[in-house]
Coordinates of all heavy atoms in Angstrom, one line a residue:
Chain B
M527 N 79.4 106.0 101.6 CA 78.7 106.5 100.5 C 78.0 107.9 100.9 O 77.6 108.1 102.0 CB 77.6 105.5 100.1 CG 78.0 104.5 99.1 SD 76.7 103.3 98.7 CE 75.8 104.2 97.6
S528 N 77.9 108.8 99.9 CA 77.3 110.0 100.1 C 75.8 109.8 100.1 O 75.2 108.9 99.6 CB 77.7 111.0 99.0 OG 77.1 110.7 97.8
A529 N 75.1 110.8 100.8 CA 73.6 110.7 100.8 C 73.1 110.7 99.4 O 72.1 110.0 99.0 CB 73.0 111.8 101.6
A530 N 73.6 111.6 98.5 CA 73.2 111.7 97.1 C 73.3 110.3 96.4 O 72.4 109.9 95.6 CB 73.9 112.8 96.4
A531 N 74.4 109.6 96.7 CA 74.7 108.4 96.0 C 73.6 107.3 96.5 O 73.1 106.5 95.8 CB 76.1 107.9 96.3
I532 N 73.4 107.3 97.9 CA 72.4 106.4 98.4 C 71.1 106.6 97.8 O 70.4 105.7 97.4 CB 72.5 106.4 100.0 CG1 73.8 105.9 100.5 CG2 71.3 105.6 100.5 CD1 74.0 106.1 102.0
D533 N 70.7 107.9 97.7 CA 69.4 108.2 97.2 C 69.3 107.8 95.7 O 68.2 107.2 95.4 CB 69.1 109.8 97.3 CG 68.9 110.2 98.7 OD1 68.6 109.4 99.5 OD2 68.9 111.5 98.9
A534 N 70.3 108.0 95.0 CA 70.3 107.6 93.6 C 70.1 106.1 93.4 O 69.4 105.6 92.7 CB 71.5 108.1 92.9
M535 N 70.9 105.4 94.3 CA 70.9 104.0 94.3 C 69.6 103.4 94.7 O 69.0 102.5 94.0 CB 72.0 103.5 95.3 CG 72.4 102.1 95.0 SD 74.0 101.8 95.7 CE 74.3 100.2 94.9
N536 N 69.0 104.0 95.7 CA 67.7 103.5 96.2 C 66.6 103.6 95.1 O 65.8 102.7 94.9 CB 67.2 104.3 97.4 CG 67.7 103.7 98.7 OD1 67.9 102.5 98.7 ND2 67.9 104.5 99.7
L537 N 66.6 104.7 94.4 CA 65.6 105.0 93.3 C 65.7 103.8 92.3 O 64.6 103.3 92.0 CB 65.9 106.4 92.7 CG 65.0 106.7 91.5 CD1 63.5 106.8 92.0 CD2 65.5 108.0 90.9
Y538 N 66.9 103.5 91.9 CA 67.0 102.5 90.9 C 67.0 101.0 91.3 O 66.9 100.1 90.6 CB 68.2 102.8 90.0 CG 68.0 104.0 89.2 CD1 68.4 105.2 89.7 CD2 67.2 104.0 88.1 CE1 68.2 106.4 89.0 CE2 66.9 105.1 87.4 CZ 67.4 106.4 87.8 OH 67.1 107.5 87.2
L539 N 67.0 100.9 92.7 CA 66.9 99.5 93.3 C 65.4 99.3 93.5 O 64.8 98.2 93.3 CB 67.6 99.4 94.6 CG 69.1 99.3 94.5 CD1 69.8 99.4 95.9 CD2 69.6 98.1 93.7
R540 N 64.7 100.3 94.1 CA 63.4 100.2 94.6 C 62.3 100.4 93.5 O 61.5 99.5 93.3 CB 63.1 101.1 95.7 CG 62.2 100.6 96.8 CD 61.8 101.7 97.7 NE 62.9 102.5 98.2 CZ 63.4 102.3 99.4 NH1 62.9 101.5 100.2 NH2 64.4 103.1 99.9
D541 N 62.4 101.5 92.8 CA 61.4 101.9 91.9 C 61.7 101.6 90.4 O 61.0 100.9 89.7 CB 61.0 103.4 92.1 CG 60.6 103.7 93.5 OD1 59.9 102.9 94.1 OD2 61.2 104.7 94.1
E542 N 62.8 102.3 90.0 CA 63.2 102.2 88.6 C 64.1 101.0 88.3 O 65.3 101.2 88.0 CB 63.8 103.5 88.1 CG 63.0 104.7 88.2 CD 61.9 104.7 87.2 OE1 61.9 103.8 86.2 OE2 61.0 105.5 87.3
F543 N 63.5 99.8 88.4 CA 64.4 98.6 88.4 C 64.5 98.0 87.0 O 65.0 96.9 86.8 CB 63.9 97.6 89.4 CG 62.5 97.1 89.1 CD1 62.2 96.1 88.2 CD2 61.4 97.7 89.8 CE1 60.9 95.7 87.9 CE2 60.2 97.4 89.5 CZ 59.9 96.4 88.6
G544 N 63.9 98.7 86.0 CA 63.9 98.2 84.7 C 65.3 97.8 84.1 O 66.3 98.4 84.5
N545 N 65.3 97.0 83.1 CA 66.5 96.6 82.4 C 66.7 97.6 81.2 O 65.8 97.6 80.4 CB 66.4 95.1 81.9 CG 67.7 94.6 81.3 OD1 68.4 95.4 80.7 ND2 67.9 93.3 81.5
P546 N 67.8 98.2 81.2 CA 68.0 99.2 80.1 C 67.9 98.7 78.7 O 67.7 99.4 77.8 CB 69.4 99.8 80.4 CG 69.8 99.3 81.8 CD 69.0 98.1 82.1
S547 N 68.0 97.4 78.6 CA 67.9 96.8 77.2 C 66.4 96.5 76.8 O 66.2 96.0 75.7 CB 68.8 95.5 77.2 OG 70.1 95.8 77.4
S548 N 65.5 96.7 77.8 CA 64.1 96.4 77.5 C 63.5 97.6 76.7 O 63.8 98.7 77.0 CB 63.3 96.2 78.8 OG 63.9 95.1 79.5
L549 N 62.6 97.3 75.8 CA 62.1 98.4 75.0 C 60.9 99.1 75.6 O 60.6 100.2 75.2 CB 61.8 98.0 73.6 CG 60.9 96.8 73.3 CD1 59.4 97.2 73.4 CD2 61.1 96.2 72.0
Y550 N 60.2 98.5 76.6 CA 59.1 99.3 77.2 C 59.6 100.4 78.1 O 60.8 100.5 78.3 CB 58.2 98.3 78.0 CG 59.0 97.3 78.9 CD1 59.6 97.8 80.1 CD2 59.2 96.0 78.5 CE1 60.3 96.9 80.9 CE2 60.0 95.2 79.2 CZ 60.5 95.6 80.4 OH 61.3 94.7 81.2
S551 N 58.7 101.3 78.5 CA 59.1 102.6 79.1 C 59.9 102.4 80.3 O 60.9 103.2 80.5 CB 57.9 103.5 79.2 OG 56.9 102.7 79.9
A552 N 59.6 101.4 81.1 CA 60.4 101.2 82.4 C 61.9 100.9 82.0 O 62.8 101.4 82.7 CB 59.8 100.1 83.3
G553 N 62.1 100.1 81.0 CA 63.4 99.8 80.5 C 64.0 101.1 80.0 O 65.2 101.3 80.2
Q554 N 63.3 101.8 79.2 CA 63.8 103.0 78.5 C 64.2 104.1 79.6 O 65.2 104.8 79.4 CB 62.9 103.5 77.5 CG 62.9 102.6 76.3 CD 64.3 102.2 75.8 OE1 65.1 103.0 75.4 NE2 64.6 100.9 75.8
R555 N 63.4 104.1 80.7 CA 63.8 105.1 81.7 C 65.2 104.7 82.4 O 66.0 105.6 82.6 CB 62.7 105.1 82.8 CG 61.4 105.9 82.4 CD 60.6 106.3 83.6 NE 60.2 105.2 84.4 CZ 59.1 104.5 84.1 NH1 58.4 104.8 83.0 NH2 58.7 103.5 84.9
A556 N 65.4 103.4 82.5 CA 66.7 103.0 83.0 C 67.8 103.3 82.0 O 68.9 103.7 82.4 CB 66.6 101.5 83.3
R557 N 67.5 103.1 80.7 CA 68.4 103.5 79.7 C 68.8 104.9 79.8 O 70.0 105.3 79.6 CB 67.8 103.1 78.3 CG 68.4 103.8 77.1 CD 69.8 103.3 76.7 NE 69.9 101.8 76.8 CZ 71.0 101.2 77.0 NH1 72.2 101.8 77.1 NH2 71.0 99.9 77.0
E558 N 67.8 105.8 79.9 CA 68.0 107.2 80.0 C 68.9 107.5 81.2 O 69.8 108.4 81.2 CB 66.7 108.0 80.1 CG 66.1 108.2 78.7 CD 64.6 108.6 78.8 OE1 64.2 109.2 79.8 OE2 63.9 108.2 77.9
A559 N 68.6 106.9 82.3 CA 69.4 107.1 83.5 C 70.9 106.7 83.3 O 71.8 107.5 83.7 CB 68.9 106.3 84.7
L560 N 71.1 105.7 82.6 CA 72.5 105.2 82.2 C 73.2 106.3 81.4 O 74.3 106.7 81.6 CB 72.4 104.0 81.4 CG 72.5 102.6 82.1 CD1 72.7 101.5 81.1 CD2 73.6 102.6 83.2
D561 N 72.4 106.8 80.3 CA 73.0 107.7 79.4 C 73.3 109.0 80.2 O 74.4 109.6 79.9 CB 72.0 108.1 78.3 CG 71.8 106.9 77.4 OD1 72.6 106.0 77.4 OD2 70.8 106.9 76.6
S562 N 72.4 109.4 81.1 CA 72.6 110.6 81.9 C 73.9 110.5 82.8 O 74.7 111.3 82.8 CB 71.4 110.9 82.7 OG 71.7 111.7 83.8
A563 N 74.0 109.3 83.4 CA 75.1 109.0 84.3 C 76.4 109.1 83.4 O 77.4 109.7 83.9 CB 75.0 107.7 84.9
R564 N 76.4 108.6 82.3 CA 77.6 108.6 81.4 C 78.0 110.0 81.1 O 79.2 110.3 81.1 CB 77.3 107.7 80.1 CG 78.5 107.2 79.4 CD 78.2 106.5 78.1 NE 77.1 105.5 78.3 CZ 77.4 104.2 78.7 NH1 78.6 103.8 78.9 NH2 76.4 103.3 78.8
E565 N 77.0 110.8 80.7 CA 77.3 112.2 80.4 C 77.9 113.0 81.6 O 78.8 113.7 81.4 CB 76.0 112.9 79.9 CG 75.7 112.6 78.4 CD 74.2 112.9 78.1 OE1 73.7 113.8 78.7 OE2 73.7 112.3 77.1
R566 N 77.2 112.8 82.7 CA 77.7 113.5 83.9 C 79.1 113.1 84.3 O 79.9 113.9 84.7 CB 76.7 113.4 85.0 CG 75.4 114.2 84.8 CD 74.2 113.5 85.3 NE 74.2 113.3 86.7 CZ 73.6 112.2 87.3 NH1 72.9 111.3 86.6 NH2 73.6 112.1 88.6
I567 N 79.3 111.8 84.2 CA 80.7 111.3 84.6 C 81.7 111.8 83.6 O 82.8 112.3 84.0 CB 80.7 109.7 84.7 CG1 80.0 109.3 85.9 CG2 82.1 109.2 84.6 CD1 79.6 107.8 86.0
A568 N 81.4 111.7 82.3 CA 82.3 112.2 81.3 C 82.6 113.7 81.5 O 83.8 114.1 81.4 CB 81.7 112.0 79.9
A569 N 81.6 114.5 81.9 CA 81.8 116.0 82.1 C 82.8 116.2 83.2 O 83.6 117.1 83.2 CB 80.5 116.6 82.4
C570 N 82.8 115.3 84.3 CA 83.7 115.5 85.4 C 85.2 115.3 85.1 O 86.0 115.7 85.7 CB 83.3 114.5 86.5 SG 81.8 115.0 87.3
I571 N 85.4 114.6 84.0 CA 86.8 114.3 83.6 C 87.1 114.9 82.2 O 88.1 114.6 81.6 CB 87.2 112.8 83.6 CG1 86.3 112.0 82.7 CG2 87.1 112.3 85.1 CD1 87.0 110.6 82.4
N572 N 86.2 115.8 81.7 CA 86.3 116.4 80.4 C 86.5 115.4 79.3 O 87.4 115.5 78.4 CB 87.5 117.4 80.3 CG 87.4 118.3 79.1 OD1 86.3 118.5 78.5 ND2 88.5 118.9 78.8
A573 N 85.6 114.4 79.2 CA 85.7 113.3 78.2 C 84.4 113.3 77.4 O 83.4 113.9 77.8 CB 85.8 112.0 78.9
D574 N 84.5 112.7 76.2 CA 83.4 112.4 75.4 C 82.6 111.3 76.0 O 83.2 110.2 76.3 CB 83.9 112.0 74.0 CG 82.8 111.7 73.0 OD1 81.7 111.4 73.4 OD2 83.1 111.7 71.8
P575 N 81.3 111.5 76.3 CA 80.5 110.4 77.0 C 80.6 109.0 76.2 O 80.6 108.0 76.9 CB 79.1 110.9 76.9 CG 79.2 112.3 76.7 CD 80.5 112.6 76.0
R576 N 80.8 109.0 75.0 CA 80.9 107.8 74.2 C 82.2 107.0 74.6 O 82.3 105.9 74.1 CB 80.9 108.1 72.7 CG 79.5 108.5 72.2 CD 79.6 109.0 70.7 NE 80.3 110.2 70.6 CZ 80.5 110.9 69.5 NH1 80.1 110.4 68.4 NH2 81.2 112.0 69.5
C577 N 83.1 107.7 75.2 CA 84.4 107.0 75.6 C 84.3 106.4 77.0 O 85.4 105.9 77.4 CB 85.5 108.1 75.4 SG 85.7 108.7 73.8
I578 N 83.2 106.4 77.6 CA 83.1 105.9 79.0 C 82.4 104.5 78.9 O 81.3 104.4 78.4 CB 82.3 106.8 79.9 CG1 82.8 108.2 79.9 CG2 82.1 106.2 81.3 CD1 84.1 108.5 80.7
I579 N 83.1 103.5 79.4 CA 82.3 102.2 79.6 C 82.3 101.9 81.1 O 83.2 102.1 81.8 CB 82.8 101.0 78.7 CG1 84.1 100.5 79.3 CG2 83.0 101.5 77.2 CD1 84.3 99.1 78.7
F580 N 81.2 101.4 81.5 CA 81.0 101.0 82.9 C 81.5 99.7 83.2 O 81.3 98.8 82.4 CB 79.5 101.2 83.3 CG 79.0 102.6 83.2 CD1 77.9 102.9 82.4 CD2 79.7 103.6 83.8 CE1 77.4 104.2 82.3 CE2 79.2 104.9 83.7 CZ 78.1 105.2 82.9
T581 N 82.2 99.5 84.3 CA 82.8 98.2 84.6 C 82.4 97.9 86.1 O 81.7 98.7 86.7 CB 84.3 98.3 84.5 OG1 84.8 99.2 85.5 CG2 84.8 98.7 83.1
S582 N 83.0 96.8 86.6 CA 82.8 96.5 88.0 C 83.7 97.2 89.0 O 83.6 97.1 90.2 CB 83.0 95.0 88.2 OG 84.4 94.6 88.0
G583 N 84.6 98.0 88.5 CA 85.5 98.8 89.3 C 86.9 99.0 88.7 O 87.2 98.7 87.6
G584 N 87.8 99.5 89.6 CA 89.2 99.8 89.2 C 90.0 98.6 88.7 O 90.6 98.7 87.6
S585 N 89.9 97.5 89.3 CA 90.7 96.4 88.9 C 90.2 95.9 87.5 O 91.0 95.6 86.6 CB 90.5 95.2 89.8 OG 91.1 95.5 91.1
E586 N 88.9 95.8 87.2 CA 88.5 95.4 85.9 C 88.9 96.4 84.9 O 89.3 96.0 83.8 CB 86.9 95.2 85.9 CG 86.5 94.7 84.5 CD 84.9 94.7 84.4 OE1 84.2 94.5 85.4 OE2 84.4 94.8 83.2
S587 N 88.7 97.7 85.2 CA 89.2 98.7 84.2 C 90.6 98.6 83.9 O 91.0 98.7 82.7 CB 88.8 100.1 84.8 OG 87.4 100.2 85.0
D588 N 91.4 98.5 84.9 CA 92.9 98.3 84.7 C 93.2 97.1 83.8 O 93.9 97.2 82.9 CB 93.6 98.1 86.0 CG 93.7 99.4 86.8 OD1 93.7 100.5 86.2 OD2 94.0 99.3 88.0
N589 N 92.5 96.0 84.1 CA 92.8 94.8 83.3 C 92.4 95.0 81.9 O 93.1 94.7 81.0 CB 91.9 93.6 83.9 CG 92.6 92.8 85.0 OD1 93.2 91.8 84.8 ND2 92.7 93.4 86.2
Q590 N 91.2 95.6 81.7 CA 90.7 95.7 80.3 C 91.6 96.7 79.5 O 91.9 96.5 78.3 CB 89.2 96.2 80.3 CG 88.7 96.2 78.9 CD 87.1 96.2 78.9 OE1 86.5 96.5 79.9 NE2 86.5 95.9 77.7
A591 N 92.0 97.8 80.1 CA 92.8 98.8 79.4 C 94.1 98.2 79.0 O 94.5 98.3 77.8 CB 93.1 100.0 80.4
I592 N 94.7 97.5 79.9 CA 96.1 96.9 79.6 C 96.0 95.8 78.6 O 96.8 95.7 77.6 CB 96.8 96.5 80.9 CG1 97.1 97.7 81.7 CG2 98.0 95.7 80.6 CD1 97.5 97.4 83.2
I593 N 95.0 94.9 78.8 CA 94.9 93.8 77.8 C 94.5 94.3 76.4 O 95.0 93.8 75.5 CB 93.8 92.8 78.4 CG1 94.5 92.0 79.5 CG2 93.3 91.8 77.3 CD1 93.5 91.2 80.4
S594 N 93.7 95.4 76.4 CA 93.3 95.9 75.1 C 94.5 96.6 74.4 O 94.8 96.3 73.2 CB 92.3 97.1 75.2 OG 91.1 96.5 75.9
A595 N 95.3 97.3 75.1 CA 96.5 97.9 74.5 C 97.5 96.8 74.1 O 98.2 96.9 73.0 CB 97.2 98.9 75.6
A596 N 97.6 95.7 74.9 CA 98.5 94.7 74.5 C 98.0 94.0 73.3 O 98.8 93.6 72.3 CB 98.6 93.7 75.7
E597 N 96.7 93.8 73.2 CA 96.2 93.1 72.0 C 96.4 93.9 70.7 O 96.9 93.4 69.7 CB 94.6 93.0 72.3 CG 93.9 92.0 71.4 CD 94.4 90.6 71.6 OE1 94.6 90.2 72.8 OE2 94.5 89.9 70.6
L598 N 96.2 95.3 70.9 CA 96.4 96.2 69.7 C 98.0 96.2 69.4 O 98.3 96.2 68.2 CB 96.0 97.6 70.1 CG 94.5 97.8 70.2 CD1 94.2 99.2 70.9 CD2 93.8 97.7 68.8
G599 N 98.8 96.2 70.4 CA 100.2 96.2 70.2 C 100.7 95.0 69.5 O 101.5 95.0 68.5
K600 N 100.2 93.8 70.0 CA 100.6 92.5 69.4 C 100.3 92.5 67.9 O 101.2 92.1 67.1 CB 99.9 91.4 70.1 CG 100.6 90.1 70.0 CD 100.2 89.2 71.1 CE 98.9 88.4 70.7 NZ 98.5 87.5 71.8
R601 N 99.1 93.0 67.5 CA 98.7 93.0 66.1 C 99.7 93.9 65.2 O 99.9 93.7 64.1 CB 97.3 93.5 65.9 CG 96.3 92.4 66.0 CD 94.9 92.8 65.8 NE 94.1 92.5 67.0 CZ 93.0 93.1 67.3 NH1 92.5 94.1 66.5 NH2 92.3 92.8 68.3
A602 N 100.3 94.9 65.9 CA 101.2 95.8 65.2 C 102.6 95.5 65.4 O 103.5 96.2 65.0 CB 100.9 97.3 65.7
G603 N 102.8 94.3 66.0 CA 104.2 93.8 66.3 C 104.9 94.6 67.4 O 106.1 94.6 67.5
K604 N 104.1 95.2 68.2 CA 104.7 96.0 69.3 C 104.4 95.3 70.7 O 103.2 95.2 71.0 CB 104.2 97.4 69.3 CG 104.5 98.2 68.2 CD 103.9 99.6 68.2 CE 104.4 100.5 67.1 NZ 103.9 101.9 67.3
T605 N 105.4 94.8 71.4 CA 105.2 94.1 72.6 C 105.9 94.6 73.8 O 106.3 93.9 74.6 CB 105.4 92.6 72.4 OG1 106.8 92.5 71.9 CG2 104.6 91.9 71.3
H606 N 106.2 95.9 73.7 CA 106.9 96.5 74.9 C 105.9 97.4 75.7 O 105.2 98.2 75.1 CB 108.1 97.3 74.4 CG 108.9 98.0 75.5 ND1 109.1 99.4 75.4 CD2 109.4 97.6 76.7 CE1 109.8 99.7 76.5 NE2 109.9 98.7 77.3
I607 N 105.9 97.3 77.0 CA 105.1 98.1 77.8 C 105.9 98.7 78.9 O 106.9 98.1 79.5 CB 104.0 97.2 78.5 CG1 103.1 96.6 77.4 CG2 103.1 98.0 79.5 CD1 102.1 95.6 77.9
I608 N 105.6 100.0 79.2 CA 106.4 100.7 80.3 C 105.4 101.0 81.4 O 104.3 101.4 81.2 CB 106.8 102.1 79.7 CG1 107.8 101.8 78.5 CG2 107.5 102.9 80.8 CD1 108.2 103.1 77.7
T609 N 105.9 100.7 82.6 CA 105.1 101.0 83.8 C 106.0 101.4 85.0 O 107.2 101.6 84.8 CB 104.3 99.7 84.2 OG1 103.3 100.1 85.2 CG2 105.2 98.6 84.7
S610 N 105.5 101.6 86.1 CA 106.3 101.9 87.3 C 106.1 100.8 88.3 O 105.2 100.0 88.3 CB 105.7 103.2 88.0 OG 104.7 102.9 88.9
P611 N 107.1 100.7 89.2 CA 107.1 99.6 90.2 C 106.1 99.9 91.4 O 105.9 99.0 92.2 CB 108.5 99.5 90.7 CG 109.0 100.9 90.5 CD 108.3 101.5 89.3
I612 N 105.4 101.0 91.4 CA 104.5 101.4 92.5 C 103.1 101.3 92.1 O 102.2 101.8 92.8 CB 104.9 102.8 93.1 CG1 104.7 103.9 92.0 CG2 106.2 102.8 93.6 CD1 104.7 105.3 92.7
E613 N 102.8 100.6 90.9 CA 101.4 100.4 90.5 C 100.6 99.6 91.4 O 101.2 98.7 92.2 CB 101.4 99.9 89.1 CG 102.1 100.7 88.0 CD 101.4 102.1 87.9 OE1 100.1 102.2 87.6 OE2 102.1 103.1 87.9
H614 N 99.3 99.6 91.3 CA 98.4 98.7 92.0 C 98.6 97.3 91.5 O 99.0 97.2 90.3 CB 97.0 99.2 91.8 CG 96.0 98.5 92.7 ND1 95.4 97.3 92.3 CD2 95.5 98.9 93.9 CE1 94.6 97.0 93.3 NE2 94.6 97.9 94.2
H615 N 98.3 96.3 92.3 CA 98.4 94.9 91.8 C 97.5 94.6 90.6 O 97.8 93.7 89.8 CB 98.2 94.0 92.9 CG 99.3 93.9 93.9 ND1 99.2 94.0 95.2 CD2 100.7 93.8 93.7 CE1 100.4 93.9 95.8 NE2 101.3 93.8 94.9
A616 N 96.4 95.4 90.4 CA 95.6 95.1 89.3 C 96.3 95.4 88.0 O 96.1 94.8 86.9 CB 94.3 96.0 89.4
V617 N 97.3 96.3 88.0 CA 98.2 96.6 86.9 C 99.3 95.7 86.9 O 99.6 95.0 85.9 CB 98.7 98.1 87.0 CG1 99.8 98.4 86.0 CG2 97.5 99.0 86.7
L618 N 100.0 95.6 88.0 CA 101.2 94.7 88.1 C 101.0 93.3 87.7 O 101.7 92.7 87.0 CB 101.9 94.9 89.4 CG 102.5 96.2 89.7 CD1 103.1 96.2 91.1 CD2 103.6 96.6 88.7

Side-chain angles (χ1 to χ4, degrees):
Chain B
M527 274 180 76
S528 69
I532 292 172
D533 287 347
M535 200 157 191
N536 271 334
L537 176 64
Y538 291 94
L539 287 173
R540 214 192 308 259
D541 306 315
E542 296 290 349
F543 59 85
N545 186 325
S547 300
S548 302
L549 56 79
Y550 42 81
S551 48
Q554 290 311 299
R555 285 200 298 278
R557 161 69 47 204
E558 278 162 29
L560 270 191
D561 291 344
S562 155
R564 202 183 309 275
E565 280 164 23
R566 285 146 61 213
I567 286 169
C570 290
I571 60 164
N572 194 23
D574 179 339
R576 288 171 293 182
C577 298
I578 304 285
I579 75 159
F580 296 124
T581 65
S582 65
S585 293
E586 185 186 331
S587 299
D588 284 340
N589 273 259
Q590 189 164 12
I592 293 166
I593 286 166
S594 300
E597 198 63 43
L598 291 167
K600 205 158 84 183
R601 272 183 238 159
K604 297 179 173 186
T605 56
H606 176 232
I607 298 175
I608 298 167
T609 191
S610 86
I612 61 168
E613 297 299 307
H614 190 272
H615 285 131
V617 168
L618 293 177

